[in-house]
Amino acid sequence: MTTSSNTASRPGWQRGVLDALPLLGGYIPVAISFGLIASQAGFTALEATLISLLIYAGASQFLLVAMVASGAPLWLAVSMTLLVNVRHVVYAPNLVPDLTQSRAWPWLMHGLTDQIFALAHTRLAQLNHHDKLGWYTAASLVAWASWVLGTTLGAIAGDTLTQHWPLLDAVMPFALPALFLVLLAPRFSNRLWFYTLSVTIISAMVLALTLLKNAAIPLAAMAGGFTFYLLSRPHNKPEQTHAN
Amino acid sequence: MQTDIWIAIVVAALGTFAMRAVPLLWTQRHFNKHKANNTQAQLPNWIGVLGPLMIAAMLGVSLIPKVNSMAGWSATLAGSLVTVLVWRKTKTLGLPVLAGVLAFGLVFGVSTILT
């Protein structure tokens, strides 16, 4: 992705903060919803905040809280939470070629959410070596802080907030698809990627409308992978042999 | 909250962290081994392809409006178009997102009032 030249001179951490700002539009309303749902399920504001601080994985937190509240066996609730988050295993290896040598990286992976991965996957390759650690630390801290503070706010005053600004709750989450769209846009100029990404996006939409949202992501990525494989396969048909 | 629920939360947190951090350590070890042998390490092709595919899948899922109505879908279409158009013009990250959200909000608000 091409970046604006006026941000290129800033230190890495400042660019990280700026790049993470669009995420807040998606994070804060969802975190407020989580805080609200957790408090309705019987968790205190402190407990809901600690869940966001420690687990920090949106969809799985909703699932965990709902299962605990419904009295499901805890081993099942934990297993389902981990199953929802299993997609994260492919994120970090994708970033390794662009990372620097620092012992901090494994610890910073706590902040590797879907959105931070999408941002880092594009941005890290464009940054100078000495800016990368600062950029990632700042971007992931901004996102993490917004998620944790949003949860606290939702647990304390979620009811009032959603009643007063229902439109904001419906509009702000569009920041996430808009961000993903911008991150993927440069790839659409390549024919192979155009078809692959189109199949993936459409599959994800269809699956999310018909199945669980969390099954839609890995299944759509598989459909996209299959498309990529089919389209990138060399067309070396075996030559016709004429026996007679 | 009961202790067993806290244990469940801590196990879920540690498991999630492990799924994020352990593959990093594995891949770094693989890259460092190649570096020590003076050979070029490369990610398996499928991992490199999977990165953009996961982002595309997340895009598809997140495109479904929270309010599944005509207003929601019109706003999604308008927001997406404006995002892409502003990106093509500016090639930046924040401005297209902001413009897209504003377009989404405008169309959603107007459609909600009209219907």
Side-chain angles (χ1 to χ4, degrees):
Chain A
M1 190 179 60
T2 317
T3 56
S4 69
S5 55
N6 59 353
T7 60
S9 56
R10 293 178 198 272
W13 70 268
Q14 274 187 24
R15 294 169 72 186
V17 170
L18 288 174
D19 285 347
L21 289 180
L23 294 179
L24 305 192
Y27 272 39
I28 293 172
V30 181
I32 289 174
S33 306
F34 173 72
L36 177 63
I37 287 169
S39 70
Q40 286 169 348
F43 292 84
T44 65
L46 178 66
E47 288 164 352
T49 306
L50 284 173
I51 292 172
S52 279
L53 197 70
L54 295 173
I55 299 180
Y56 187 35
S60 69
Q61 289 183 211
F62 282 94
L63 185 71
L64 181 70
V65 162
M67 287 184 79
V68 169
S70 68
L74 288 176
W75 66 266
L76 186 63
V78 172
S79 306
M80 291 306 291
T81 305
L82 296 177
L83 194 65
V84 168
N85 293 336
V86 81
R87 68 185 182 278
H88 291 155
V89 298
V90 298
Y91 291 168
N94 266 286
L95 301 182
V96 168
D98 296 317
L99 300 184
T100 54
Q101 290 291 335
S102 166
R103 289 186 175 184
W105 285 115
W107 299 107
L108 290 171
M109 290 302 110
H110 179 58
L112 191 64
T113 59
D114 296 329
Q115 296 76 18
I116 288 292
F117 163 69
L119 208 53
H121 188 249
T122 308
R123 269 293 198 248
L124 283 173
Q126 301 166 341
L127 291 167
N128 293 326
H129 209 63
H130 61 271
D131 283 334
K132 292 182 179 193
L133 190 64
W135 179 91
Y136 182 89
T137 308
S140 54
L141 277 179
V142 166
W144 192 24
S146 75
W147 179 254
V148 172
L149 295 176
T151 302
T152 312
L153 193 64
I156 295 168
D159 254 339
T160 322
L161 287 170
T162 47
Q163 275 168 15
H164 275 77
W165 293 290
L167 199 61
L168 215 59
D169 184 44
V171 171
M172 291 305 284
F174 186 75
L176 289 185
L179 177 69
F180 292 140
L181 206 51
V182 172
L183 293 173
L184 287 174
R187 288 190 186 265
F188 278 92
S189 54
N190 175 295
R191 204 163 156 257
L192 171 63
W193 277 109
F194 175 86
Y195 289 117
T196 302
L197 294 176
S198 300
V199 167
T200 312
I201 294 165
I202 293 166
S203 307
M205 291 180 79
V206 172
L207 287 164
L209 284 167
T210 51
L211 291 166
L212 285 173
K213 272 194 176 186
N214 290 302
I217 292 176
L219 289 177
M222 280 167 66
F226 189 61
T227 310
F228 187 91
Y229 168 74
L230 281 181
L231 294 178
S232 57
R233 219 168 36 159
H235 295 282
N236 50 352
K237 290 177 187 168
E239 282 184 19
Q240 295 282 329
T241 50
H242 300 282
N244 46 358
Chain B
M1 194 162 46
Q2 296 159 359
T3 313
D4 53 348
I5 296 179
W6 272 115
I7 292 170
I9 288 168
V10 170
V11 171
L14 287 174
T16 303
F17 175 68
M19 283 192 281
R20 287 167 171 165
V22 173
L24 175 96
L25 294 169
W26 282 341
T27 317
Q28 276 182 329
R29 193 184 298 168
H30 171 71
F31 270 62
N32 288 337
K33 208 182 283 175
H34 274 273
K35 208 174 170 184
N37 296 335
N38 275 331
T39 51
Q40 182 75 35
Q42 274 191 329
L43 279 181
N45 213 10
W46 65 270
I47 290 185
V49 173
L50 207 53
L53 294 183
M54 293 298 279
I55 303 173
M58 290 187 271
L59 168 63
V61 170
S62 61
L63 273 175
I64 293 165
K66 202 173 175 187
V67 183
N68 196 353
S69 63
M70 193 62 187
W73 285 104
S74 314
T76 301
L77 190 64
S80 305
L81 277 174
V82 169
T83 303
V84 171
L85 288 175
V86 176
W87 175 79
R88 287 185 66 161
K89 197 90 181 151
T90 63
K91 307 278 181 174
T92 56
L93 185 81
L95 208 59
V97 174
L98 180 68
V101 172
L102 288 176
F104 180 96
L106 191 72
V107 174
F108 186 75
V110 170
S111 310
T112 308
I113 291 165
L114 292 178
T115 53

